[in-house]
């Protein structure tokens, strides 16, 4: 019995840290400090908002997949298979060539290269960075494993020192800003979209679930329990790092103006807390971590399209196309990528969140697809209005109507309408 208990604890910690490593990419570093500097005294409200979309929701995403099966496509039993395939395609494009992949190159350039070589061309760097990632993703050498094995712990160690010293010896006092509690919550909530961890969670959940099954926990009940415990480990790690980075942003004393960027703020904090060599360590660790992330993303996207097209788009061709798109988009600054990504993410993030919540809460009682499809369509409609608003399309009446919905002040106006539609369709189907 003791051996079994020890085995369970080992599995929980191993899988929990793996889950944390999957969720916490190097690009995620740039969001929390920016939140902190914008909200000041209200940093704890912003942390609650970020916690929901960047920590809790991804954890629930893995739990949801564990409940319905072993991978996201198993949702085809509750939703229509075509709808699940379409959602999977949109998610893969977001966490791949359109947003996350080009952001790895742009982040590495702005944090690791530009401060040292200000005259170096971002175009040439993008070609070199993604050319290296392409070669390593196709050749599948052990270099990636070696880099990941040593650089991830090194990055976490540097971050731990940065947060501890930054909290013990803050650079400046926290100042009040114009943002109130509600606005701070919304900023943290919507900035959490940019981590894209909810989208990644439902795709990469199969890796975590497979790890749990390989450890001997094969029954659905055991699988869900071990995933839950592993998720708690991951959640605590993410909460410590995100909370610490938001606090460092709030105490950075960095002047917020038109020239302020997320990467400049992170460099300012690391230099203020750890000095020149500490900044170099952070830059090197982030650069290599972004490279390993890029390799993993190219590999995942190429494998998906090979399977999605039933071999018509071979792995190597998909990898080259994915890389070319990333090279073009990564020439933009990190903030530019974030600016256009928000138009995509405010649409798809609530949809995936809706699926996660309703499957976790209702799947034991509601097994027909209609209620889930209806709630997804309602959420998609309201999210599309949000996207149109961000694009400044002339739909003033719709925007005013959406503002009147409950929880609109918290950017959660889709929750109650989708719930009402779900329950109404479920009752009608049962009758």
């Amino acid at each position: 019995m003791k051996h079994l208990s020890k085995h369970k604890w080992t599995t929980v910690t191993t899988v929990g840290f793996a889950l944390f490593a999957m969720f916490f990419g190097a690009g995620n570093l740039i969001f929390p400090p920016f939140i902190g500097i914008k909200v000041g005294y209200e940093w704890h409200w912003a942390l609650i908002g970020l916690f929901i979309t960047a920590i809790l929701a991804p954890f629930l995403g893995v739990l949801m997949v564990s409940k319905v099966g072993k991978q996201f496509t198993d949702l085809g039993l509750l939703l229509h298979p075509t709808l699940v395939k379409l959602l999977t395609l949109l998610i893969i494009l977001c966490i791949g060539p359109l947003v996350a992949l080009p952001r790895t190159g742009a982040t590495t350039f702005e944090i690791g290269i530009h401060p040292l070589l200000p005259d170096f061309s971002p175009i040439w760097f993008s070609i070199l960075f993604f050319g290296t990632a392409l070669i390593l993703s196709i050749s599948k050498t052990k270099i990636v494993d070696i880099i990941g094995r040593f650089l991830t712990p090194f990055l976490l160690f540097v971050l731990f020192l940065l947060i501890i010293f930054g909290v013990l010896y803050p650079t400046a006092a926290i100042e009040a800003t114009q943002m109130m509690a509600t606005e701070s919550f919304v900023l943290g909530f919507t900035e959490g979209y940019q981590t894209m961890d909810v989208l990644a969670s439902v795709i990469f959940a199969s890796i975590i679930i497979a790890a749990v099954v390989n450890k001997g926990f094969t029954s659905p009940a055991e699988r869900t329990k071990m995933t839950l415990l592993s998720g708690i480990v991951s959640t605590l790690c993410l909460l410590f790092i995100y909370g610490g980075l938001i606090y460092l942003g709030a105490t950075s004393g960095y002047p917020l103006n038109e020239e302020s960027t997320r990467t400049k703020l992170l460099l300012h904090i690391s230099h203020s807390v750890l000095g020149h060599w500490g900044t170099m360590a952070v830059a090197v660790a982030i650069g290599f971590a972004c490279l390993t992330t890029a390799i993993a993303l190219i590999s995942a996207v190429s494998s998906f399209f090979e399977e999605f097209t039933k071999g018509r788009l071979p792995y190597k061709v998909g990898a080259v196309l994915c890389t070319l798109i990333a090279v073009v988009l990564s020439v933009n600054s990190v903030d530019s990528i974030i600016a256009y990504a928000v138009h995509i993410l405010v649409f798809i993030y609530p949809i995936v969140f809706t699926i996660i919540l309703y499957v976790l809460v209702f799947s034991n009682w509601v097994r027909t697809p209609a209620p889930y499809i209806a709630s997804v369509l309602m959420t998609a409609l309201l999210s599309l209005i949000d996207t149109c608003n961000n694009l400044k399309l002339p739909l003033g009446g719709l925007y005013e109507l959406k503002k009147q919905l409950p929880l609109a002040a918290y950017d959660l106006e889709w929750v109650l309408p989708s719930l009402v539609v779900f329950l109404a369709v479920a009752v009608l189907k049962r009758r």
Side-chain angles (χ1 to χ4, degrees), residues 218-283:
T218 54
S219 72
E222 283 184 323
R223 195 173 64 216
T224 302
K225 180 181 178 182
M226 296 302 291
T227 305
L228 174 65
L229 293 174
S230 301
I232 292 172
V233 173
S234 171
T235 296
L236 292 175
C237 292
L238 287 169
L239 185 61
F240 171 76
I241 288 185
Y242 283 146
L245 289 173
I246 287 177
Y247 183 79
L248 293 189
T251 57
S252 65
Y254 188 72
L256 196 60
N257 51 50
E258 292 182 358
E259 296 182 358
S260 303
T261 65
R262 291 167 175 81
T263 50
K264 286 180 180 178
L265 173 59
L266 181 60
L267 286 170
H268 169 81
I269 291 172
S270 60
H271 190 273
S272 300
V273 176
L274 298 178
H276 174 70
W277 292 109
T279 304
M280 291 287 290
V282 171

Side-chain angles (χ1 to χ4, degrees), residues 349-362:
Y349 222 91
I351 293 173
V352 178
F353 211 163
T354 297
I355 294 171
I356 291 170
L357 289 176
Y358 293 166
V359 169
L360 283 175
V361 175
F362 296 114

Side-chain angles (χ1 to χ4, degrees), residues 173-250:
I174 301 179
E175 296 182 1
T177 67
Q178 295 180 346
M179 300 192 75
M180 305 300 289
T182 302
E183 295 169 315
S184 300
F185 172 87
V186 170
L187 178 65
F189 189 90
T190 52
E191 281 283 303
Y193 289 178
Q194 293 285 352
T195 67
M196 291 182 286
D197 284 342
V198 159
L199 309 185
S201 72
V202 296
I203 300 299
F204 296 132
S206 57
I207 300 172
I208 296 301
I209 295 166
V212 170
V213 171
N214 289 337
K215 295 292 184 179
F217 305 97
T218 54
S219 72
E222 283 184 323
R223 195 173 64 216
T224 302
K225 180 181 178 182
M226 296 302 291
T227 305
L228 174 65
L229 293 174
S230 301
I232 292 172
V233 173
S234 171
T235 296
L236 292 175
C237 292
L238 287 169
L239 185 61
F240 171 76
I241 288 185
Y242 283 146
L245 289 173
I246 287 177
Y247 183 79
L248 293 189

